[in-house]
Amino acid sequence: MADESWRLPNSVQQLASTVQEPPSRYLLREEEPLGRNLAGTEMPEPIPMIDLGLLSASNDADEAAKLRSALLTWGFFHVSNHGMEASLMDSVMTASRDFFRLPLEEKRKYSNLIDGKHFQIEGYGNDQVKTPNQRLDWSDRLHLKVEPEDERNLDHWPMRPESFRDVLHEYTLKNKRIKDDILRAMARLLELDEDCLVNQFSDKALTYARFNYYPPCPRPDLVLGIKPHSDFFPLTVLLMDKDVQGLQVLREGTWYNVPTVSNYTLLINVGVTMEIMTNGVFRGPVHRVVTNAEKERISVAVFYGMDPEKEIGPIADMLNEEQPARYRKMKNKDFLVAHYEHFTRGERVVDSLKI
Ligand SMILES: O=C(O)CCC(=O)C(=O)O
Ligand SMILES: [Fe+2]
């Protein structure tokens, strides 16, 4: 029988503690479409910081202008004054760190491989490996469905550290309000009805949390923590490691380093579904994560998606004769499958939907 062991990736955390050189499957190749220079460039101006409390309470014109500029240039923005307690943000980071510190056999209880073989989206592990020469990312992750709440697969929710489940539940509740405030502000910028974007997310809408763990890497010049991608779901709320930089954003052909933030802000970005809904006005930025030779890095992303049965397409109120639809419609769940196909090849699914 053919050797299929290439389908089963290692825990990168374990690899990092045992090898001097990353195996060749992790190394960037010369023909890398977006370049092999991983150093990144300093941003010409920082990603805007939006005072969400001010923006939500009074639709403050300066904050709205900053949000518009952030969405049109970076596709990313920081939010402060968002109402989430600093202590909760610390607890999320601590629970994540404690989870990844558990022995491998404990983490594997939540594996994303059924019977150690068949890939599923939820659980602890790595990307699906589809071909023997697929380049692999230098990270492990835990990916969990958090909403709809009655569809949570608690089998995948860690029992250790003990606080993990409660902390994630609490974090999800607090994040939801932040997401709605942001969506309302974005709808106002588009001169849509204020609830137009919020209403795209029904009670069947999917929300996933993804805990990313990037171990130290002996070759940060040749290995990526996460390959270039645009997020799929309309909105991502990211809690970044306060001490270790790693995220890079692509803008007009240049990779920019996103500096760490020491205060309790959240980093928000839009994804390709938002790009389609807004008919290409708010574009899902391409980003990637580089590794660090000495330090581990952790991030926690919450991805806000839609009902899988819903059809995704440009919002009707945004279309007219001058602005015809630029993207085909597609059922969300079919779109998600197409996204993962493109993702493992390092391509953007949204480009395949352009009319
Ligand atoms: O680790 C980060 O800063 C970004 C992670 C990311 O891009 C993702 O999980 O989609
Ligand atoms: Fe991402």
Side-chain angles (χ1 to χ4, degrees), residues 227-265:
K227 63 175 81 55
H229 67 283
S230 295
D231 293 345
F232 173 79
F233 284 167
L235 201 75
T236 306
V237 178
L238 187 72
L239 184 54
M240 276 198 300
D241 200 305
K242 286 217 273 294
D243 304 311
V244 188
Q245 187 173 297
L247 180 62
Q248 294 184 338
V249 188
L250 185 67
R251 185 169 130 188
E252 290 160 14
T254 302
W255 285 103
Y256 292 99
N257 292 315
V258 179
T260 50
V261 275
S262 53
N263 50 7
Y264 289 92
T265 56

Side-chain angles (χ1 to χ4, degrees), residues 74-323:
W74 296 111
F76 275 90
F77 52 95
H78 294 284
V79 292
S80 62
N81 192 17
H82 42 58
M84 171 111 58
E85 299 87 345
S87 58
L88 178 57
M89 294 168 77
D90 282 338
S91 301
V92 173
M93 273 302 184
T94 306
S96 314
R97 212 172 288 284
D98 290 350
F99 171 75
F100 287 108
R101 282 192 181 145
L102 293 172
L104 186 58
E105 66 274 15
E106 178 68 25
K107 289 181 291 222
R108 287 229 161 115
K109 289 182 183 162
Y110 311 101
S111 171
N112 63 357
L113 296 173
I114 307 167
D115 300 332
K117 278 204 279 252
H118 303 291
F119 177 84
Q120 61 189 353
I121 287 179
E122 270 189 274
Y124 165 76
N126 310 86
D127 281 342
Q128 182 169 25
V129 185
K130 295 206 153 186
T131 61
N133 62 359
Q134 183 177 320
R135 186 169 46 68
L136 304 182
D137 292 344
W138 196 259
S139 54
D140 297 326
R141 65 186 62 119
L142 173 67
H143 201 188
L144 300 174
K145 190 198 286 187
V146 293
E147 281 163 348
E149 203 177 317
D150 60 359
E151 289 179 25
R152 287 179 183 174
N153 297 309
L154 289 178
D155 292 355
H156 291 115
W157 286 48
M159 306 272 275
R160 291 172 57 195
E162 244 173 59
S163 63
F164 191 99
R165 291 179 170 197
D166 287 346
V167 167
L168 179 55
H169 177 70
E170 184 75 15
Y171 185 59
T172 312
L173 290 182
K174 294 278 160 67
N175 247 320
K176 199 179 182 128
R177 224 210 52 239
I178 296 174
K179 173 213 63 160
D180 287 346
D181 284 349
I182 292 170
L183 290 174
R184 287 198 184 95
M186 286 173 63
R188 290 194 298 264
L189 285 182
L190 294 167
E191 296 178 357
L192 295 169
D193 178 74
E194 186 175 68
D195 284 323
C196 177
L197 291 174
V198 172
N199 290 343
Q200 303 285 322
F201 298 77
S202 66
D203 55 4
K204 288 275 171 217
L206 296 174
T207 308
Y208 282 91
R210 184 155 97 168
F211 302 80
N212 296 305
Y213 178 79
Y214 309 91
C217 177
R219 293 302 302 269
D221 57 326
L222 271 186
V223 174
L224 280 170
I226 295 189
K227 63 175 81 55
H229 67 283
S230 295
D231 293 345
F232 173 79
F233 284 167
L235 201 75
T236 306
V237 178
L238 187 72
L239 184 54
M240 276 198 300
D241 200 305
K242 286 217 273 294
D243 304 311
V244 188
Q245 187 173 297
L247 180 62
Q248 294 184 338
V249 188
L250 185 67
R251 185 169 130 188
E252 290 160 14
T254 302
W255 285 103
Y256 292 99
N257 292 315
V258 179
T260 50
V261 275
S262 53
N263 50 7
Y264 289 92
T265 56
L266 293 162
L267 185 65
I268 315 295
N269 67 277
V270 293
V272 294
T273 314
M274 183 64 83
E275 183 168 334
I276 291 172
M277 291 193 311
T278 63
N279 205 27
V281 175
F282 295 149
R283 306 201 62 215
V286 176
H287 53 284
R288 69 183 184 187
V289 178
V290 294
T291 56
N292 187 293
E294 278 99 42
K295 295 178 186 156
E296 64 179 22
R297 179 174 181 273
I298 285 183
S299 68
V300 180
V302 177
F303 300 108
Y304 285 99
M306 337 266 294
D307 176 351
E309 299 298 332
K310 190 178 157 73
E311 202 164 61
I312 307 293
I315 290 172
D317 284 352
M318 294 203 56
L319 305 179
N320 55 44
E321 256 172 39
E322 279 105 69
Q323 301 290 339

